[in-house]
């Protein structure tokens, strides 16, 4: 399978292979979103790792009687519309699985679909992963002790240096820390963690086609510490990492106050912002709208994009879910793999 050229540290993509969708939690909106995209027609062939019955039920709920759901034994070439090719190496889910309710069977299924898609991505059978949302409570109820997609992806691929990036047409944000308590963030910071995040931000921008990324690093404390008046994490951890990154030739600056750096990036002064913790980085992106936001796991040996919203149990099965974020995730996966 031909691969596009890649620079060191950026994975080559098997561009002729199908995209891999993972269905996520069957009780949520993932099956509906996927069915809508296949009904619209996709810009590249794809295969769905999920449950055949759940996707048929989603098609029925959306009135997509002409959209065929076909079981597969291997990814193959995928389809770009007209039918959904489904690959399920896990047990079928029960037909009566209720919409919008936490269920351990749906949680375990979402985990299995993801793991099988990861394995095929590592084997070069798929071009990139595009993931629909899973539900953390259902995941845990199903016996899977991970806080989310990012950590599962890192563990199964053996990736030590990884980060979560959220992006839309106006802003890119990469996180130093991800799913940890706010009280634990200061202890998780170090010059090494900061430099790793800056390097990953460089990598993410290069994959997006930015030749010379301008990387802004947000401070942890108000006013980026105000010279130590409000904390010393900026002086002890963040500034040394920025200096080290600049010594490597990266265009990294900061630490900048968190209350203005995202606005500056949105206006075009920076290509990406490295944020110190989950809500510092995600609130600005999500405030601009969930419709076009995309979650990217940076550092993996393949490209993975995802919606930037959850399972939306409150509207699951009602035909109200908007596929805009999943559609944006498809566009970004193709862009990051050379199309």
């Amino acid at each position: 399978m031909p691969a596009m050229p890649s620079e060191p540290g950026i994975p080559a993509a098997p561009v002729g292979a199908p995209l891999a969708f993972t269905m996520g939690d069957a009780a949520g909106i993932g099956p509906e979103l996927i069915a809508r995209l296949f009904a619209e027609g996709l810009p590249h062939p794809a295969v769905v790792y999920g449950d055949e019955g759940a996707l048929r039920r989603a098609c029925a709920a959306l009135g997509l009687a002409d959209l065929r759901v076909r079981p597969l034994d291997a990814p193959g070439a995928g389809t770009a519309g007209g039918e959904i090719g489904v690959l399920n190496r896990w047990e079928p889910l029960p037909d009566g699985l209720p919409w919008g309710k936490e269920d351990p069977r749906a949680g375990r299924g979402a985990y299995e679909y993801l793991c099988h898609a990861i394995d095929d991505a590592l084997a070069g059978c798929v071009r990139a992963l595009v993931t629909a949302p899973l539900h953390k409570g259902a995941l845990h109820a199903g016996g899977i002790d991970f806080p989310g997609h990012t950590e599962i992806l890192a563990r199964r691929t053996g990736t030590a240096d990884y980060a979560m990036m959220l992006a839309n047409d106006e802003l890119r944000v990469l996180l130093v820390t991800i799913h940890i308590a706010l009280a634990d963030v200061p202890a998780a910071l170090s010059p090494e963690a900061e430099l790793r995040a800056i390097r990953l931000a460089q990598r993410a921008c290069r994959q997006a086609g930015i030749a010379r990324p301008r990387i802004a690093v947000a401070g942890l404390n108000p006013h980026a510490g105000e010279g130590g008046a409000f904390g010393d994490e900026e002086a002890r951890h963040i500034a040394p990492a920025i200096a080290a990154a600049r010594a490597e030739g990266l265009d990294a600056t900061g630490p900048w106050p968190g209350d203005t750096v995202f606005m500056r990036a949105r206006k075009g002064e920076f290509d990406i912002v490295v944020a110190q913790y989950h809500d510092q980085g995600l609130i600005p992106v999500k405030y601009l709208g969930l419709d076009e936001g995309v979650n990217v796991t940076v550092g993996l040996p393949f490209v993975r994009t995802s919606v930037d919203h959850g399972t939306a149990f409150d509207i699951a099965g009602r035909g109200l879910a908007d596929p805009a974020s999943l559609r944006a995730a498809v566009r970004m996966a193709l862009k990051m793999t050379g199309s």
Side-chain angles (χ1 to χ4, degrees), residues 63-125:
L64 301 174
D66 294 333
L67 186 59
R68 180 187 175 201
V69 178
R70 180 168 60 93
L72 302 175
D73 295 323
T79 64
E83 69 172 12
I84 306 174
V86 187
L87 198 159
N88 186 5
R89 300 189 182 115
W90 181 241
E91 60 191 43
L93 294 174
D95 291 337
L97 191 78
W99 293 107
K101 295 186 182 299
E102 183 179 306
D103 191 294
R105 297 165 296 183
R108 180 58 185 262
Y111 172 76
E112 295 292 338
Y113 313 144
L114 176 62
C115 288
H116 299 149
I118 291 169
D119 293 346
D120 282 353
L122 289 171
C125 299

Side-chain angles (χ1 to χ4, degrees), residues 31-182:
E32 296 173 70
L33 300 179
I34 290 170
R36 283 194 186 278
L37 289 197
F38 273 85
E40 292 174 1
L42 294 164
H44 187 82
V47 60
V48 179
Y49 290 72
D51 183 78
E52 180 184 346
L55 286 160
R56 285 204 174 99
R57 184 175 63 155
C59 291
L62 296 171
L64 301 174
D66 294 333
L67 186 59
R68 180 187 175 201
V69 178
R70 180 168 60 93
L72 302 175
D73 295 323
T79 64
E83 69 172 12
I84 306 174
V86 187
L87 198 159
N88 186 5
R89 300 189 182 115
W90 181 241
E91 60 191 43
L93 294 174
D95 291 337
L97 191 78
W99 293 107
K101 295 186 182 299
E102 183 179 306
D103 191 294
R105 297 165 296 183
R108 180 58 185 262
Y111 172 76
E112 295 292 338
Y113 313 144
L114 176 62
C115 288
H116 299 149
I118 291 169
D119 293 346
D120 282 353
L122 289 171
C125 299
V126 297
R127 175 168 173 168
L129 260 60
V130 180
T131 60
L134 49 76
H135 189 274
K136 294 177 178 62
L139 197 68
H140 294 161
I144 308 302
D145 189 21
F146 282 96
H149 271 114
T150 304
E151 294 81 3
I152 297 170
L153 285 152
R155 175 71 65 84
R156 196 161 185 93
T157 60
T159 302
D161 294 341
Y162 63 93
M164 176 191 292
M165 180 179 75
L166 249 69
N168 55 32
D169 290 340
E170 298 181 78
L171 191 60
R172 295 181 190 87
V173 176
L174 184 136
L175 305 180
V176 178
T177 63
I178 307 176
H179 295 124
I180 64 174
L182 185 58

Side-chain angles (χ1 to χ4, degrees), residues 227-321:
F230 304 136
D232 65 354
E233 285 83 5
E234 285 78 11
R236 289 193 296 121
H237 303 312
I238 302 174
I242 293 171
R246 293 186 67 82
E248 293 178 3
L250 280 64
D251 185 5
T253 58
W256 300 110
D259 59 353
T260 55
V261 67
F262 301 101
M263 176 185 64
R264 294 169 65 186
R266 186 185 179 197
K267 289 182 175 179
E269 190 173 342
F270 308 115
D271 297 303
I272 191 167
V273 178
V274 173
Q276 299 302 316
Y277 57 93
H278 187 279
D279 285 11
Q280 183 190 49
L282 268 55
I283 288 173
V285 178
K286 292 190 175 186
Y287 181 76
L288 293 173
L290 294 173
D291 291 349
E292 295 294 324
V294 179
N295 183 344
V296 182
T297 305
V298 182
L300 298 174
F302 50 79
V303 168
R304 176 260 175 167
T305 66
S306 184
V307 295
D308 71 345
H309 57 71
T311 50
F313 276 177
D314 57 324
I315 62 169
R318 297 169 58 190
L320 301 176

